[in-house]
């Protein structure tokens, strides 16, 4: 959510900033802008919409020679997505960009207005630059003014500031929103994630909450939350940016659906060894616990729900699943014998991160399932399992969801072994099924072509019901979410058995029902629920290895002897269905409207 790029160096700064922001497009945005400081002169540009609008606006602008530049892609929170509200925000002689939310901005804004400051935007960000310039009027050192400014801010923020009072420097601060700094020779770079830094620098430092500092040619000063100067430990960056290219696919989402077979194999590598599950997690983490609490948002929440069935069925342990945005405010009662598991693709999900902090403060054992190493959640959690999905640029998650499910399944099996709730034969069966998942997720293009032909049926009507039972209920939720995210059509996921408890009132010939009918799990029960909908003229799309005569559309999945194999086969079908319906509607499936990849604000 939102993107930050900063640069100090002699390269063409416009190109560095635009290239970096391009790498952050997947995070979601609705406007963009940048400011450049060279030879004591400062220029800024803003544009609403895609980055090409900003590039077109600055076609004739050049900024060679040593200097500093900051750039930003904005996902609107305070104020509409307009050019005035786009970043950078300016004072009389300074510019600022910011990700996150300043919770006490109204208090600061009122104070500044009373002092005669005039605001031009509706944003919370603008208070930062005006507060800085007010302090700088009385301080002898601009950096001291910046320190006082940062000390006043409450909430989540990653911010860069350039000012004529400190030519060629960038002041920076980070709290509860990601910010990375890298050095290459005398050049200094900043970003919200490491993607824009790859190929520009060899190593980077992931700033901790509460840290702040200043950067100039060949030098970076970083202070911790207590204003102590620290010596950062820079971590190596990947060397090749090519891993984030489309490789001939039309969209990143399409590529990432096809990548699932490979990344699942990588997720299993070194963790499924012979007849044993070997995880990076110390077995002591699984001892002396009598409850699992899983906390997540969005797609990760659906992965958590599916995993809850596996934990209770295989590890015989009470498992609850919490929506992170609700959990953090409900004053939860936490048993000290609970293992607290958080799931996040980005590792920066604000609500999930705050829930993890609550669990840590309560003294619980904590475990994170995450896709991004060095992210805030990874650094905070007691134990970590990385999903190894690789960068996921499509906003609607696909391969991250698949690898989350695989990781949680392995955790449940390892926990079952530690607790002694699984026999050798059952463990062998589960491991055989795990090993088979990469082949399950490996599909032929003919399946996508089939779904493309079916997608034309779903352009009209008043909505979709995705229904399933057991682990296929969370999968139905995920299928509905995928369709909502990229097609903008109304869709709901339901437990199949809940139809007659209210939702069936909506059944008519304008309702599309996507029915998950696995042969290995509650087939007859689910079939009966689907028949009730068919009797009310709903349009039935059955996804099953077994032909269903009442189906208006039918997608046949292969026969498997394990429910999780059927789960992954149907997962692929649902992802492709959402993709092809959205493409029929002419939508940009990689960057759907109003959405952000990394949700770093509440």
């Amino acid at each position: 959510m939102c993107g930050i790029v900063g640069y100090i160096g002699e390269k063409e700064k416009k190109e560095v900033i635009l290239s970096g922001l391009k790498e952050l497009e997947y995070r979601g945005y609705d406007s963009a802008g940048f400011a450049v400081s060279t030879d004591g002169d400062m220029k800024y540009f803003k544009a609403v919409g895609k980055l090409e609008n900003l590039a077109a606006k600055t076609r004739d602008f050049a900024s060679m020679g040593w200097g500093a530049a900051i750039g930003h892609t904005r996902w609107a929170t305070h104020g509409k997505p307009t050019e005035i509200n786009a970043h950078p925000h300016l004072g009389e002689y300074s510019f600022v960009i910011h990700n996150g939310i300043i919770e006490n901005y109204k208090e600061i804004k009122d104070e500044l207005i009373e002092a005669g400051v005039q605001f031009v935007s509706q944003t919370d960000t603008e208070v930062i630059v005006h507060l800085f310039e007010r302090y700088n009027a009385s301080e002898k050192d601009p950096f001291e003014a910046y320190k006082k400014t940062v000390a006043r801010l409450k909430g989540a923020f990653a911010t860069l500031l350039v000012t004529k009072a400190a030519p060629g420097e960038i002041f920076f601060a980070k709290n509860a929103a990601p910010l990375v700094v890298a050095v290459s020779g005398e050049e200094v770079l900043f970003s919200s994630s490491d993607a824009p830094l790859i190929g520009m620098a060899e190593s980077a430092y992931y700033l901790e909450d509460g840290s702040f500092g200043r950067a100039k040619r060949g030098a970076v000063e970083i202070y911790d939350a207590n204003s102590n100067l620290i010596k950062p430990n820079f971590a190596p960056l990947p060397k090749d940016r090519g891993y984030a290219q489309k490789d001939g696919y039309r969209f990143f989402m399409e590529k990432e659906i096809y990548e699932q077979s490979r990344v699942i194999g990588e997720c299993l590598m070194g963790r499924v060894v012979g007849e044993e599950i070997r995880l990076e997690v110390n077995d002591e983490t699984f001892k002396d616990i009598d409850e699992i609490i899983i906390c997540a948002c969005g797609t990760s929440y659906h992965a958590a729900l599916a995993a809850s069935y596996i934990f209770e069925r295989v590890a015989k342990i009470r498992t609850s699943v919490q929506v992170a945005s609700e959990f953090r405010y409900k004053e939860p009662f936490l048993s000290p014998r609970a293992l607290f598991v958080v799931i996040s693709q980005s590792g920066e999900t604000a609500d999930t991160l705050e829930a993890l902090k609550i669990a840590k403060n309560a003294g619980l054992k904590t475990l994170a399932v995450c896709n991004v190493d060095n992210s805030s959640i990874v650094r905070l959690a007691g134990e970590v399992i990385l999903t190894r999905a690789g960068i996921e640029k499509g906003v609607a998650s696909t391969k991250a969801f698949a690898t989350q499910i695989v990781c949680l399944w392995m955790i449940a099996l390892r926990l079952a072994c530690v607790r002694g709730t699984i026999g050798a034969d059952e463990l062998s069966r589960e491991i055989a099924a795990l090993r088979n998942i990469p082949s399950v997720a490996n599909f032929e293009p003919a399946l996508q072509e089939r779904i493309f032909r079916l997608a034309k049926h779903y352009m009209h009507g008043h909505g979709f019901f995705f229904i399933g039972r057991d682990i296929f209920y969370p999968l139905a939720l995920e299928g509905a979410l995928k369709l909502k995210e990229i097609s903008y059509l109304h869709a709901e996921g339901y437990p199949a058995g809940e139809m007659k408890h209210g939702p069936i009132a909506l059944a008519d010939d304008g309702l599309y029902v996507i029915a998950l009918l696995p042969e290995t799990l509650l087939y007859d029960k689910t079939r009966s629920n689907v028949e009730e909908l068919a009797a009310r003229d709903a349009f039935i799309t059955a996804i099953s290895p077994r032909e269903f005569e009442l189906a208006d559309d039918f997608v046949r999945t292969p026969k498997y002897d394990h429910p999780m194999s059927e789960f992954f086969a149907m997962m692929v079908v649902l992802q492709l269905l959402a993709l092809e319906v959205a493409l029929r509607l002419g939508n940009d499936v990689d960057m759907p409207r109003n959405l952000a990849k990394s949700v770093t604000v509440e």
Side-chain angles (χ1 to χ4, degrees):
M1 181 174 290
C2 300
I4 281 178
V5 175
Y7 175 68
I8 297 173
E10 62 180 345
K11 292 189 177 77
E12 168 51 81
K13 280 156 282 300
K14 176 186 74 174
E15 297 304 327
V16 172
I17 296 298
L18 288 176
S19 175
L21 293 178
K22 187 73 177 173
E23 291 298 319
L24 296 174
E25 280 193 303
Y26 69 94
R27 296 170 67 90
Y29 70 104
D30 40 49
S31 62
F34 66 84
V36 175
S37 170
T38 53
D39 298 325
D41 186 32
M42 301 185 79
K43 301 284 188 184
Y44 76 98
F45 304 89
K46 304 182 185 185
V48 174
K50 300 299 183 184
L51 275 172
E52 50 259 36
N53 298 339
L54 182 61
K57 198 170 187 178
T58 59
R59 187 178 293 114
D60 299 326
F61 174 72
S63 56
M64 297 298 291
W66 274 94
I70 56 175
H72 188 268
T73 49
R74 176 178 185 254
W75 188 85
T77 53
H78 292 81
K80 294 181 180 296
T82 63
E83 194 168 296
I84 287 177
N85 288 332
H87 299 212
H89 289 286
L90 58 150
E92 293 182 17
Y93 53 88
S94 312
F95 293 90
V96 72
I97 57 177
H98 158 240
N99 287 355
I101 291 178
I102 306 301
E103 294 175 356
N104 61 333
Y105 89 98
K106 186 68 167 62
E107 167 194 325
I108 297 172
K109 186 173 183 178
D110 290 345
E111 174 188 316
L112 291 169
I113 289 173
E114 190 173 333
V117 174
Q118 292 188 337
F119 284 77
V120 297
S121 78
Q122 301 168 299
T123 70
D124 55 336
T125 301
E126 195 181 349
V127 302
I128 301 173
V129 69
H130 293 308
L131 187 61
F132 164 76
E133 290 189 348
R134 183 182 177 206
Y135 284 139
N136 194 50
S138 58
E139 291 289 336
K140 295 181 180 179
D141 179 358
F143 186 57
E144 289 300 317
Y146 184 73
K147 285 171 65 175
K148 290 183 71 172
T149 301
V150 171
R152 287 285 308 277
L153 304 180
K154 296 179 181 177
F157 53 85
T159 181
L160 302 181
L161 183 143
V162 292
T163 176
K164 287 184 179 180
E169 296 192 29
I170 295 178
F171 298 158
F172 58 90
K174 184 263 193 211
N175 189 61
L179 188 61
V180 188
V181 59
V183 176
S184 178
E186 291 190 309
E187 295 179 327
V188 183
L189 301 99
F190 295 90
S191 180
S192 303
S193 77
D194 57 19
L197 306 175
I198 296 167
M200 296 287 290
E202 292 183 354
S203 59
Y205 178 69
Y206 300 79
L207 292 163
E208 299 288 346
D209 282 352
S211 60
F212 63 94
R214 67 196 300 179
K216 57 185 177 181
R217 182 174 181 169
V220 181
E221 293 177 15
I222 302 175
Y223 299 83
D224 64 18
N226 297 315
S227 296
N228 299 312
L229 183 65
I230 64 171
K231 185 176 181 180
N233 294 317
F234 283 77
L237 287 164
K239 298 190 181 301
D240 182 16
R241 193 181 277 186
Y243 73 102
Q245 304 304 314
K246 292 179 184 174
D247 296 337
Y249 291 95
R250 295 169 295 173
F251 294 93
F252 281 110
M253 181 182 179
E254 183 179 44
K255 175 193 174 190
E256 288 155 7
I257 293 171
Y258 276 89
E259 284 180 335
Q260 288 177 123
S261 174
R262 176 180 60 80
V263 298
I264 290 170
E266 292 176 2
C267 182
L268 296 173
M269 196 177 300
R271 292 164 170 169
V272 180
V273 182
E275 294 295 294
E276 188 180 358
I277 302 292
R278 296 180 185 173
L279 301 179
E280 307 90 298
V281 179
N282 192 312
D283 277 352
E284 290 299 316
T285 303
F286 298 135
K287 293 178 180 177
D288 301 319
I289 61 169
D290 57 15
E291 180 185 6
I292 302 285
I293 302 171
I294 315 178
C295 200
C297 301
T299 285
S300 298
Y301 172 73
H302 298 156
L305 281 176
S308 69
Y309 289 86
I310 304 172
F311 276 107
E312 296 203 340
R313 184 169 290 141
V314 175
K316 311 299 182 190
I317 189 167
R318 181 172 62 252
T319 304
S320 63
V321 181
Q322 304 285 338
V323 176
S325 56
E326 288 294 311
F327 174 86
R328 61 185 291 196
Y329 295 114
K330 68 182 292 190
E331 299 182 19
F333 174 77
L334 296 174
S335 164
R337 290 173 59 85
L339 172 62
F340 196 84
V341 180
V342 292
I343 313 171
S344 170
Q345 189 284 135
S346 67
E348 303 293 348
T349 312
D351 290 317
T352 307
L353 179 59
E354 291 305 311
L356 176 59
K357 290 176 182 176
I358 291 170
K360 290 273 289 187
N361 291 337
L364 272 63
K365 294 179 179 179
T366 58
L367 168 63
V369 176
C370 187
N371 191 36
V372 181
D373 200 3
N374 286 311
S375 59
S376 298
I377 284 174
V378 165
R379 295 198 301 272
L380 182 62
E383 297 280 356
V384 175
I385 292 184
L386 294 173
T387 59
R388 303 175 182 169
I391 190 168
E392 186 180 65
K393 298 196 80 167
V395 168
S397 181
T398 52
K399 64 177 180 175
F401 173 75
T403 51
Q404 286 171 355
I405 294 288
V406 169
C407 285
L408 291 162
W409 186 4
M410 288 190 290
I411 293 168
L413 292 176
R414 186 64 215 158
L415 177 59
C417 291
V418 172
R419 289 171 59 84
T421 60
I422 190 169
D425 290 344
E426 185 183 357
L427 178 62
S428 179
R429 178 174 176 265
E430 292 292 312
I431 287 177
L434 258 175
R435 292 183 189 278
N436 191 46
I437 299 304
S439 65
V440 173
N442 185 24
F443 62 94
E444 294 296 324
L447 175 62
Q448 185 176 3
E449 293 165 9
R450 160 84 173 143
I451 293 171
F452 168 74
R453 292 193 299 273
L454 295 183
K456 64 187 176 185
H457 299 167
Y458 308 123
M459 299 298 100
H460 308 290
H462 58 72
F464 290 77
F465 277 171
F466 288 70
I467 62 172
R469 283 178 176 264
D470 203 277
I471 55 174
F472 295 89
Y473 159 51
L475 185 58
L477 289 172
E478 176 61 11
L481 178 61
K482 287 285 93 62
L483 189 68
K484 278 186 278 198
E485 285 178 315
I486 62 175
S487 75
Y488 320 139
L489 297 172
H490 183 74
E492 298 291 342
Y494 274 102
E498 282 295 295
M499 286 295 98
K500 54 184 157 300
H501 297 290
I504 201 169
L506 293 175
D508 60 19
D509 59 5
L511 178 72
Y512 300 111
V513 175
I514 313 298
L516 306 182
L517 289 158
E519 202 169 27
T520 57
L521 198 62
L522 301 172
Y523 177 85
D524 290 333
K525 293 286 187 184
T526 311
R527 177 191 171 97
S528 175
N529 301 136
V530 179
E531 288 171 345
E532 293 166 356
L533 288 157
R536 275 93 179 161
D537 288 331
F539 188 102
I540 306 297
T541 299
I543 304 172
S544 178
R546 189 185 298 184
E547 189 119 19
F548 181 54
E549 62 276 8
L550 295 179
D552 298 285
D553 280 340
F554 177 65
V555 179
R556 186 185 298 277
T557 52
K559 286 183 175 288
Y560 295 108
D561 61 3
H562 195 286
M564 290 302 293
S565 297
E566 291 201 275
F567 180 98
F568 280 92
M570 293 184 185
M571 175 198 74
V572 168
V573 172
L574 295 179
Q575 292 168 345
L576 291 173
L577 178 65
L579 176 76
E580 294 301 339
V581 170
L583 292 179
R584 287 269 187 185
L585 292 167
N587 297 341
D588 183 344
V589 299
D590 283 342
M591 288 181 280
R593 68 187 186 197
N594 304 332
L595 297 182
K597 184 66 178 173
S598 179
V599 185
T600 56
V601 298
E602 291 188 58

